[in-house]
Amino acid sequence: MPDRSVDELEEALLGVSALIESTVAMNRDRYSTDRLITAISGPYRNVLTTAEEMITGARSSIDIVHARRVHEEERSERSERGLLYKADPSVTVQLLSSPELLDENFVREQIDQPHPAAIRVARVPPIQAIMVDREAALVVTGVMVNRRAAVIRVPEVIHTLQILFDNVWRGAVPAGERIVFGDRSRAAFARQILGALRAGVTDEVAARDLAVSVRTYRRYVAEIMALLGANSRFQAGVRAAELGLLPPGRPGSG
């Protein structure tokens, strides 16, 4: 059966996208005098310049929706991916990507970063949005000649967009999980095995809990270690924690 909550959430996000477009189109004059809406026209590099200013000026949080495909004509020497490295290390970065636009190299890069961005995957409408400090949002919709871009500081729009982002984020799949294990059911089973390894239970007990044979359980453990590039079970646990595949907890805590 389809997930009704996901469908409703997608409809809500599409509604927000429409709200943003109509707000910019209908209220630009009324809000522009107070700098609550600032339209960004011209080439795409103007959008990137604005994004860079917002990212470098962030004080506490940056929330990003990456679900709009950037066409070749919009590309420049700078990239959205590169701009994120300009954020202050104290700023929390959360990136929500559509499955088809997930940058797997960027996900892997985060493993070695001292302050990694949190990245999750979900089905979202084709928009780009950067929300900074829950006070302002750079939103881009449409493509090429139909592209609309604006910095929005209208409290009602920011509030609605942030609530929906938070709701989607809670139900989204960690990007590392998707890359390593594939679909959600396989990832859930792998998490159970990783949890058993972290808890230090014997193979016999873990196999019984998972309703598989010990031989099958050990085969799964070997496959997971290979996927994680781990040479030992302990290293597999460390890598799983780095990728966000396990909730916080110390080895042996169960």
Side-chain angles (χ1 to χ4, degrees):
M1 292 180 64
D3 189 335
R4 183 177 179 81
S5 63
V6 171
D7 292 338
E8 291 175 350
L9 197 53
E10 184 174 21
E11 288 180 12
L13 279 167
L14 286 169
V16 168
S17 179
L19 171 64
I20 290 167
E21 290 200 28
S22 63
T23 299
V24 172
M26 298 172 59
N27 301 309
R28 182 182 292 126
D29 293 338
R30 180 159 63 95
Y31 285 128
S32 60
T33 55
D34 296 326
R35 300 185 63 81
L36 295 181
I37 291 182
T38 304
I40 303 170
S41 56
Y44 189 69
R45 64 174 176 270
N46 294 347
V47 173
L48 291 177
T49 297
T50 302
E52 182 174 357
E53 292 171 353
M54 294 181 68
I55 287 170
T56 57
R59 303 184 307 276
S60 60
S61 66
I62 300 173
D63 295 327
I64 300 170
V65 177
H66 178 55
R68 173 186 169 274
R69 190 176 298 279
V70 176
H71 288 249
E72 287 300 320
E73 293 83 351
E74 295 179 324
R75 299 189 184 280
S76 70
E77 69 281 359
R78 290 176 294 175
S79 68
E80 293 86 346
R81 169 180 165 182
L83 295 181
L84 286 179
Y85 287 115
K86 298 188 176 185
D88 188 276
S90 64
V91 173
T92 299
V93 178
Q94 296 184 137
L95 170 61
L96 186 65
S97 174
S98 61
E100 62 273 13
L101 294 184
L102 180 65
D103 186 337
E104 298 189 357
N105 289 328
F106 183 68
V107 175
R108 294 189 179 95
E109 285 174 12
Q110 296 311 297
I111 296 174
D112 298 320
Q113 297 299 316
H115 304 283
I119 307 171
R120 296 189 180 184
V121 182
R123 191 178 70 184
V124 288
I127 65 172
Q128 284 174 282
I130 299 176
M131 293 166 281
V132 172
D133 299 331
R134 297 179 176 258
E135 295 175 355
L138 166 60
V139 179
V140 185
T141 61
V143 295
M144 298 304 296
V145 295
N146 296 319
R147 185 180 69 231
R148 291 181 182 271
V151 176
I152 300 176
R153 300 180 186 274
V154 181
E156 302 92 321
V157 177
I158 298 299
H159 180 68
T160 302
L161 192 58
Q162 195 69 60
I163 286 176
L164 285 169
F165 179 92
D166 292 342
N167 286 341
V168 176
W169 182 264
R170 282 192 289 270
V173 177
E177 175 180 307
R178 177 181 178 273
I179 289 173
V180 174
F181 298 120
D183 63 48
R184 190 181 290 256
S185 61
R186 285 186 63 203
F189 189 71
R191 276 200 307 273
Q192 289 180 285
I193 294 175
L194 287 165
L197 294 177
R198 182 171 69 177
V201 302
T202 66
D203 289 357
E204 288 75 16
V205 170
R208 184 174 67 247
D209 290 343
L210 293 170
V212 297
S213 70
V214 174
R215 181 177 180 180
T216 298
Y217 174 79
R218 288 172 176 163
R219 177 168 57 82
Y220 281 130
V221 169
E223 290 176 357
I224 290 170
M225 287 173 58
L227 286 169
L228 292 173
N231 297 319
S232 67
R233 293 185 174 198
F234 175 79
Q235 189 179 22
V238 172
R239 291 278 293 164
E242 289 173 341
L243 288 167
L245 307 183
L246 288 173
R250 293 179 298 177
S253 61

